[in-house]
Amino acid sequence: MKKMLSLFALVVLALFVAGAAVADLDIDSVSYQGKGVVRVVFEDDDDDDYVVYKKPKVKVTDDNGVSYTAKITKKNKRFMVFKISNPASGKRYSFTITGIRERGDDDFDTVNGSFSIASVEMPKISAVAYKGNGKVEVSFSGNQVQYKNVKVSASDSQGNSYTAKVVNKGNKSLVFKVENVRANTSYNFTISGIGSRGAGEYGTLSGSFNAPSLGDVQIKKIDYDSKGKLDVEFTGKVSYQNLSVIAKAGDGKVYNARVKDKDNDELELVISGIVEGRNAVYTLEISGVSV
């Protein structure tokens, strides 16, 4: 009888200890934030669990087994943020976090997860405008752009190279200046270190522009007001004969413009039916104007 009681007590004790074990740490969500930044949120089952770190590290590889440098930029009891260097779009990545455990657990765990970076197309050039004095404005369509060590090179049709410098850049356009531009000459240019925002990849875009002869009409600036209203300012005095103005959208659709007012250095136009928005880019064609 005594032997049976002892065995029973031993069994009950073993079951109790097994029930007290702490579950492994799990990941609730992983999100790619762009520019190599990844946010990992840890699972919280009972609203008071949190994670503890001890010299945590992150290792990242892609599906081809290529390793990427990863650096932890932020961590707290609920989530961790790390950044990987030079990620590529259109790939899936796996990561391992070491030196981490759930509160109440005795041992530090290894946590595994994965994330993907969607394929993002390179931006496209929607318009090129020569502004005079060697300045060229390039507008982009599609996603907003980002830059990394952006540079511009320029050459003429004879293959002669010209010094070019970026003077202003934004998420939808870039302005550069070419030194010693000659009038009535065509130029080719290449922009390097440009890509779509969030893609993590950078490439090159190429285009061309014409530097008009000194006797040609040049536009100084175009101001868009609202509801199709435009003010066009010329660099000098102009005259008109059989004036006609149209606007072309990126898809080739043509809009007629009505001349509301004009003087010898400015036009006030109204264009009906154009679509407003961040991606709405139009080319203005003015005929019947001369210096």
Side-chain angles (χ1 to χ4, degrees):
M1 184 65 175
K2 290 182 179 179
K3 290 183 178 180
M4 292 180 64
L5 287 175
S6 298
L7 179 60
F8 180 75
L10 178 60
V11 172
V12 171
L13 179 60
L15 291 173
F16 178 79
V17 173
V22 179
D24 290 338
L25 178 62
D26 292 320
I27 290 175
D28 179 66
S29 63
V30 180
S31 58
Y32 181 68
Q33 310 283 299
K35 295 185 178 181
V37 177
V38 181
R39 188 174 189 265
V40 182
V41 179
F42 303 106
E43 197 170 82
D44 183 7
D45 294 327
D46 54 12
D47 294 330
D48 63 357
D49 290 337
Y50 59 83
V51 298
V52 178
Y53 305 94
K54 183 179 181 180
K55 297 181 179 180
K57 294 182 179 179
V58 181
K59 294 183 178 180
V60 179
T61 58
D62 61 22
D63 285 343
N64 296 321
V66 178
S67 297
Y68 293 78
T69 301
K71 180 180 180 181
I72 298 171
T73 59
K74 187 175 182 179
K75 63 182 186 297
N76 63 22
K77 63 182 182 180
R78 300 297 185 202
F79 67 88
M80 170 187 287
V81 178
F82 62 86
K83 184 175 183 179
I84 64 175
S85 300
N86 302 317
S89 62
K91 286 190 175 184
R92 185 175 181 272
Y93 299 83
S94 300
F95 64 86
T96 299
I97 304 174
T98 57
I100 186 172
R101 65 175 172 83
E102 191 174 45
R103 186 187 68 160
D105 198 352
D106 294 329
D107 299 322
F108 282 89
D109 292 330
T110 296
V111 180
N112 298 306
S114 63
F115 63 93
S116 298
I117 303 178
S119 296
V120 181
E121 292 184 353
M122 279 285 292
K124 294 180 175 59
I125 293 176
S126 59
V128 179
Y130 183 71
K131 299 296 186 179
N133 297 322
K135 288 186 178 181
V136 181
E137 182 177 17
V138 183
S139 300
F140 308 108
S141 62
N143 297 315
Q144 293 185 352
V145 302
Q146 62 184 20
Y147 308 93
K148 184 177 181 180
N149 300 324
V150 60
K151 294 181 181 179
V152 179
S153 59
S155 62
D156 60 23
S157 57
Q158 304 301 316
N160 300 309
S161 298
Y162 292 77
T163 300
K165 181 181 179 181
V166 176
V167 296
N168 189 26
K169 58 182 186 288
N171 55 24
K172 297 298 291 185
S173 65
L174 177 143
V175 178
F176 63 88
K177 184 175 182 178
V178 182
E179 300 294 339
N180 302 317
V181 166
R182 293 176 296 157
N184 199 26
T185 304
S186 297
Y187 296 87
N188 299 314
F189 65 86
T190 298
I191 304 171
S192 61
I194 186 171
S196 292
R197 184 176 181 180
E201 290 184 323
Y202 301 87
T204 60
L205 294 175
S206 298
S208 61
F209 68 92
N210 294 317
S213 64
L214 296 178
D216 290 344
V217 176
Q218 296 184 33
I219 294 176
K220 183 177 181 180
K221 65 177 181 177
I222 300 176
D223 291 327
Y224 180 78
D225 186 2
S226 64
K227 298 180 180 180
K229 295 180 180 179
L230 290 173
D231 287 328
V232 181
E233 184 178 348
F234 301 106
T235 56
K237 305 297 183 180
V238 299
S239 59
Y240 307 97
Q241 185 175 3
N242 299 322
L243 180 63
S244 176
V245 184
I246 61 172
K248 288 185 178 180
D251 60 2
K253 188 174 181 180
V254 176
Y255 299 83
N256 292 318
R258 177 172 61 88
V259 179
K260 186 177 180 181
D261 193 15
K262 65 179 184 292
D263 58 27
N264 59 11
D265 64 354
E266 190 174 1
L267 278 178
E268 187 176 344
L269 307 173
V270 177
I271 306 174
S272 301
I274 64 173
V275 178
E276 296 182 343
R278 183 175 294 176
N279 294 325
V281 179
Y282 297 88
T283 301
L284 199 64
E285 293 186 4
I286 305 173
S287 59
V289 60
S290 59
V291 293

